[in-house]
Amino acid sequence: MADVVGSAVVTNATLATLAVLAVSSLRQRRQGQEIKRSLTEFEAAARTGNGCTADSFFGREQSDLALLDEARETVILVQETGSLVSETGRKRIVAILRSGGSLTAVLAAPDSSSAALLALRNANLKPRDIEFRTSAFMAQLADIVSESGATGNQVQVRWLPYPVDATFLLVDSNSPNVRYRRGLVRLAGYRVPFSDKLDFVFDAAASPRTFDHYLQEHHRLFVNAHKVILIEGPPRAGKTTLLAQLVEQFRSDEFLYYLLTPARIRIDSETSERIGFDLSSTDQPTPRAFANRLGPRNYEVVGNALTESMPLLVDAARSGKVVVLDEIGPLQLQQPGFLDMVERLIDEPSVTLLGAIGQERSAQLDRLRNHPRVTVVQLGDGDASLAHMSEELRGALRTARYAAISREAKG
């Protein structure tokens, strides 16, 4: 009798457990169906515009200044003329630079062609208005650099012969706190008044892919824009070798112009000795004597090779070719007019120049290093430096090629 009762108890307990499991399974299935139904309803709402709508995503006239006020370290701009940000955010940008931060900008090139294209798509601006705003930005930028005491790569500005389809501002892109990485994107539109342009604000915490997209977009524009890059390193560190490798890599490109001053080496059975420098260029690739060695770190410029090459280099740069120049150093600065030539080329937004500069400190060379158009690259690992400079030169040559096509079409 006891066995029968025990068996009944076990059976009832088992049935009860099975019943509980069955109810739980039905509940989970019902919950799963409810979740699936909710997702389906959300997707339908998004498609029909009744839920997550574009109108709730885009805004208008969201403040660039509000984003700048939150910036701690870095400011990245992609703008038409840059005058709005430089005017309204000047004090904040100066404060960021004074604290060791940086400003990097890509702007539409200040030439008549770019101004005409920008005016065409703007609602109420003429080409002369665009040119005036560009001039205003350049004046404000000079004041910002002077007031902040920015040096080196703290301020880098590059010009692109292409009116971008969206302007944007990114701040603190390298901050370890992703919430500090914020952005504002504004769609350019066609003949849309500024007050009606659609824009949106985001951060890397909630929208990491969007933030990374615009960060990479800035990099692509930056690499392909008109620019001046100076490779810096001590004597015999490999600056000339690096530039010679770049020239060899892209020698067949018709938009490349080079002027190099490689060392002249005397080699005997046991030793090699630097006895001077030669000069070669696109126009005259056969090396010509440029300087002879008088003693340790003491050289004398000889001949007229550099004097004769300078006008040809200027013509090439102003015709839209990408110039590779080695080197901007003490020997070259002895040449009358050389420094003035380099400064004038750097001042011209449509010129692209990749060169080498020594580590010697002087007011002349520091003025070049601290120019807003100049990016100074410290010579490091050979392969890494070559890869970086190859990317920069490849982008510059591509832009030069398409800019030439555009000029020919208009001509």
Side-chain angles (χ1 to χ4, degrees):
M1 184 69 179
D3 291 340
V4 173
V5 172
S7 178
V9 170
V10 170
T11 300
N12 291 336
T14 301
L15 290 173
T17 300
L18 291 174
V20 169
L21 291 175
V23 170
S24 175
S25 177
L26 290 172
R27 183 182 296 115
Q28 289 178 355
R29 183 181 301 173
R30 186 165 54 251
Q31 288 174 342
Q33 291 173 342
E34 290 174 354
I35 292 172
K36 184 177 181 180
R37 184 169 57 254
S38 297
L39 288 173
T40 302
E41 291 173 354
F42 177 82
E43 291 173 355
R47 286 195 300 270
T48 60
N50 295 323
C52 180
T53 67
D55 284 352
S56 65
F57 176 75
F58 286 106
R60 288 188 177 91
E61 291 192 283
Q62 300 190 74
S63 174
D64 299 80
L65 185 57
L67 207 61
L68 281 175
D69 284 340
E70 298 176 3
R72 293 163 173 79
E73 299 173 352
T74 61
V75 176
I76 292 174
L77 296 175
V78 172
Q79 302 285 310
E80 292 181 341
T81 66
S83 60
L84 176 64
V85 174
S86 64
E87 181 179 352
T88 60
R90 172 176 167 175
K91 290 183 178 179
R92 183 58 194 149
I93 293 173
V94 167
I96 292 170
L97 294 174
R98 281 179 174 173
S99 66
S102 64
L103 167 67
T104 306
V106 178
L107 309 169
D111 55 49
S112 57
S113 176
S114 297
L117 289 174
L118 288 174
L120 173 65
R121 80 175 186 195
N122 267 277
N124 47 20
L125 294 177
K126 300 184 182 303
R128 64 173 178 271
D129 300 320
I130 300 294
E131 292 172 357
F132 175 80
R133 291 189 176 198
T134 299
S135 298
F137 168 80
M138 296 173 76
Q140 291 157 2
L141 181 65
D143 290 341
I144 287 171
V145 171
S146 176
E147 189 175 345
S148 65
T151 59
N153 289 345
Q154 277 190 275
V155 177
Q156 297 180 69
V157 177
R158 296 187 180 182
W159 307 90
L160 191 71
Y162 167 74
V164 294
D165 55 0
T167 62
F168 54 91
L169 164 65
L170 304 176
V171 302
D172 296 335
S173 58
N174 296 321
S175 173
N177 188 333
V178 292
R179 294 187 181 279
Y180 292 161
R181 304 178 197 172
R182 305 199 67 210
L184 167 61
V185 175
R186 182 171 290 116
L187 305 187
Y190 184 78
R191 297 190 63 79
V192 179
F194 182 82
S195 58
D196 291 337
K197 290 182 185 291
L198 298 178
D199 55 29
F200 59 95
V201 176
F202 57 98
D203 64 49
S207 306
R209 286 190 301 172
T210 300
F211 191 91
D212 185 65
H213 169 83
Y214 283 101
L215 191 61
Q216 293 303 316
E217 177 76 350
H218 165 262
H219 176 75
R220 288 187 290 268
L221 294 171
F222 192 69
V223 166
N224 285 274
H226 299 315
K227 57 202 165 194
V228 178
I229 302 176
L230 299 180
I231 304 169
E232 184 178 74
R236 304 194 180 196
K239 301 186 295 297
T240 300
T241 300
L242 174 59
L243 291 180
Q245 288 176 317
L246 288 174
V247 168
E248 190 60 33
Q249 182 178 351
F250 296 96
R251 186 182 293 275
S252 62
D253 196 302
E254 63 180 311
F255 292 98
L256 175 68
Y257 185 93
Y258 69 88
L259 192 158
L260 302 177
T261 53
R264 191 185 326 126
I265 306 295
R266 181 173 60 200
I267 302 176
D268 58 29
S269 59
E270 297 181 358
T271 62
S272 63
E273 180 185 12
R274 176 181 289 186
I275 60 174
F277 293 95
D278 292 328
L279 185 148
S280 63
S281 67
T282 299
D283 298 297
Q284 297 189 4
T286 302
R288 293 174 290 163
F290 167 58
N292 292 332
R293 184 173 184 264
L294 301 178
R297 299 180 61 83
N298 184 15
Y299 295 86
E300 177 186 39
V301 175
V302 297
N304 299 315
L306 183 56
T307 303
E308 295 170 355
S309 298
M310 285 165 52
L312 301 174
L313 184 150
V314 171
D315 289 344
R318 289 177 172 167
S319 70
K321 293 189 176 182
V322 177
V323 172
V324 175
L325 173 62
D326 173 60
E327 154 178 12
I328 304 170
L331 282 176
Q332 289 79 7
L333 294 178
Q334 294 177 25
Q335 183 67 46
F338 180 83
L339 177 63
D340 181 63
M341 176 197 74
V342 172
E343 289 184 320
R344 284 188 286 110
L345 290 178
I346 290 177
D347 280 335
E348 295 185 23
S350 61
V351 166
T352 292
L353 185 152
L354 281 66
I357 189 169
Q359 286 189 321
E360 298 86 359
R361 314 315 290 189
S362 70
Q364 296 170 322
L365 295 180
D366 285 346
R367 190 163 63 245
L368 301 181
R369 290 186 184 93
N370 297 332
H371 193 289
R373 284 201 69 214
V374 171
T375 300
V376 177
V377 175
Q378 296 297 326
L379 187 65
D381 176 76
D383 291 340
S385 295
L386 181 61
H388 174 209
M389 294 302 295
S390 294
E391 181 189 24
E392 292 277 13
L393 183 52
R394 184 178 295 106
L397 290 170
R398 183 178 186 275
T399 297
R401 187 174 305 110
Y402 281 96
I405 294 173
S406 176
R407 287 193 299 271
E408 291 174 2
K410 292 172 185 175

